[in-house]
């Protein structure tokens, strides 16, 4: 019996359903149910909440989410081999687990989540983690359909998400996430916790949407950050030349032309984006 329910241990589930992790799918399975329970709890109180999970695999985190009281879990899984294992969990929790066989990058998760409180909690496949995150944070609709993201990333990516001006990891991802969310690293996960063990440490990151981020068009923010960080060691008067009159743009935004991208806070990039939009 497992620490969280009366379903079989995950190693037995993986063996029975022949679920060897596939590198092509970015799979690294968490088998420690105490750890999956910790991830589920990091997402906050789950009573009455619909949770969207991406890449459940054999269902370790899925089981933890249900055991922690999630009203409903929508598990999006591309790997058909995992469907049998997830069906067993659905039978243990009648009416509370919906398994969707689909590619998460091409799925309308807002429609699947439906009305009411929804949250994303997932051990994301590493090969699609960043595109999924940017899709959630850069959505046109804001506030978003989710009230929180609790996600597993490689530590390097986690540091890029929460970085501040002056940090080596500070870049486009930090600006985007910092503009629309409050983000922090909850805890790290040792490679040996996974099967197979990845070559890097992983981190669980929590993102909470800001209800009213500074007004700005996502497209304009992406344009100025791409130009600025594309030549991050150069002064902005040089790196922003691809956008036209860089000096005028910086003057409108109230930013000194000799500063570099890594020094500019999120508010500065929002001002640059709005200056770019006003010039059109």
């Amino acid at each position: 019996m497992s620490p969280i329910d009366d379903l079989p241990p995950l190693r037995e589930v993986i063996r029975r359903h022949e679920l060897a992790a596939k590198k092509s799918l970015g799979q690294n399975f968490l088998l420690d149910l105490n750890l999956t329970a910790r991830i589920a709890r990091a997402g906050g109180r789950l009573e009455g909440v619909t949770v969207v999970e991406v890449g459940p695999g054999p269902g370790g985190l899925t089981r933890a989410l249900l055991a922690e009281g999630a009203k409903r879990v929508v598990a999006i899984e591309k790997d058909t081999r995992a469907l049998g294992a997830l069906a067993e969990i659905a039978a243990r929790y009648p009416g509370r687990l919906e398994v969707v066989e689909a590619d998460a990058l091409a799925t309308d998760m807002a429609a699947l989540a439906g009305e009411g409180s929804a949250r994303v909690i997932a051990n994301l496949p590493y090969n699609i983690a960043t595109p999924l995150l940017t899709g959630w944070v850069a959505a046109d609709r804001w506030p978003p359909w989710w009230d929180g993201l609790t996600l597993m990333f490689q530590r390097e990516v986690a540091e890029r998400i929460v970085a501040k001006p002056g940090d080596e990891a500070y870049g486009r991802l930090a600006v985007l996430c910092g503009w629309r969310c409050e983000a922090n690293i909850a805890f790290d996960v040792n490679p040996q916790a996974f099967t197979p063990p990845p070559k890097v440490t992983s981190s669980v990151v929590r993102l909470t949407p800001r209800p009213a981020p500074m007004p700005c068009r996502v497209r304009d923010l992406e344009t100025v950050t791409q130009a600025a960080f594309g030549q991050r060691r150069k002064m902005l008067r040089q790196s922003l030349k691809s956008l036209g009159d860089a000096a005028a743009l910086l003057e409108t935004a109230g930013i000194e032309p000799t500063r570099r991208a890594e020094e500019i806070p999120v508010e500065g990039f929002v001002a640059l984006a709005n200056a770019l939009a006003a010039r059109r």
Side-chain angles (χ1 to χ4, degrees):
M1 186 178 295
S2 80
I4 60 172
D5 56 35
D6 54 5
L7 289 166
L10 285 173
R11 290 190 185 278
E12 179 182 328
V13 172
I14 288 171
R15 177 187 55 76
R16 186 156 38 87
H17 291 276
E18 299 181 349
L19 278 173
K22 284 187 176 181
K23 186 176 182 180
S24 62
L25 294 175
Q27 292 176 329
N28 298 89
F29 298 144
L30 281 173
L31 303 188
D32 184 343
L33 290 173
N34 289 312
L35 180 55
T36 59
R38 186 183 180 191
I39 297 170
R41 289 192 295 268
R45 292 181 61 86
L46 299 182
E47 291 82 358
V49 175
T50 292
V51 177
V52 175
E53 182 189 6
V54 176
L61 180 55
T62 314
R63 289 163 60 172
L65 295 169
L66 292 163
E68 288 293 320
K71 177 182 73 174
R72 174 170 163 255
V73 174
V74 180
I76 302 169
E77 180 56 70
K78 184 177 181 179
D79 187 355
T80 57
R81 300 175 306 152
L83 300 182
L86 295 171
E88 293 175 4
I89 302 172
R92 169 63 176 75
Y93 295 94
R96 292 174 59 198
L97 174 59
E98 178 182 347
V99 180
V100 179
E101 182 187 348
D103 181 346
L105 290 173
T107 300
D108 184 350
M109 297 187 198
L112 291 175
E115 300 296 326
S117 182
R119 205 164 295 165
V120 183
I121 305 176
N123 171 23
L124 296 176
Y126 286 150
N127 58 351
I128 60 170
T130 302
L132 282 173
L133 174 63
T134 54
W136 289 321
V137 177
D140 290 332
R141 171 185 167 185
W142 205 269
W145 57 270
W146 44 269
D147 64 17
L149 306 173
T150 301
L151 308 170
M152 182 88 74
F153 296 96
Q154 295 182 24
R155 176 74 192 192
E156 178 186 358
V157 177
E159 290 173 347
R160 288 169 50 209
I161 294 167
V162 305
K164 305 298 181 187
D167 293 345
E168 185 177 350
Y170 186 62
R172 295 173 62 192
L173 188 59
V175 172
L176 177 63
C177 292
W179 168 50
R180 279 202 157 163
C181 299
E182 294 182 13
N184 69 284
I185 294 177
F187 56 88
D188 292 335
V189 180
N190 189 286
Q192 300 308 314
F194 296 88
T195 298
K199 296 179 180 179
V200 295
T201 296
S202 301
S203 300
V204 173
V205 179
R206 291 182 296 210
L207 297 101
T208 304
R210 299 184 190 276
M214 294 170 285
C216 173
R217 288 203 330 166
V218 174
R219 186 178 305 170
D220 294 323
L221 186 64
E222 290 176 336
T223 297
V224 296
T225 54
Q226 181 176 8
F229 287 104
Q231 302 180 74
R232 62 184 297 142
R233 299 305 178 194
K234 292 187 176 181
M235 296 179 185
L236 289 171
R237 65 187 180 191
Q238 180 66 31
S239 61
L240 296 182
K241 277 187 174 181
S242 62
L243 304 182
D245 189 341
L249 195 65
L250 290 161
E251 183 178 0
T252 302
I255 297 174
E256 296 175 7
T258 55
R259 299 186 73 184
R260 293 174 171 81
E262 60 197 19
E263 303 173 312
I264 306 302
V266 172
E267 308 91 90
F269 282 109
V270 170
L272 280 169
N274 288 329
L276 180 66
R279 199 173 64 187
R280 291 196 179 99

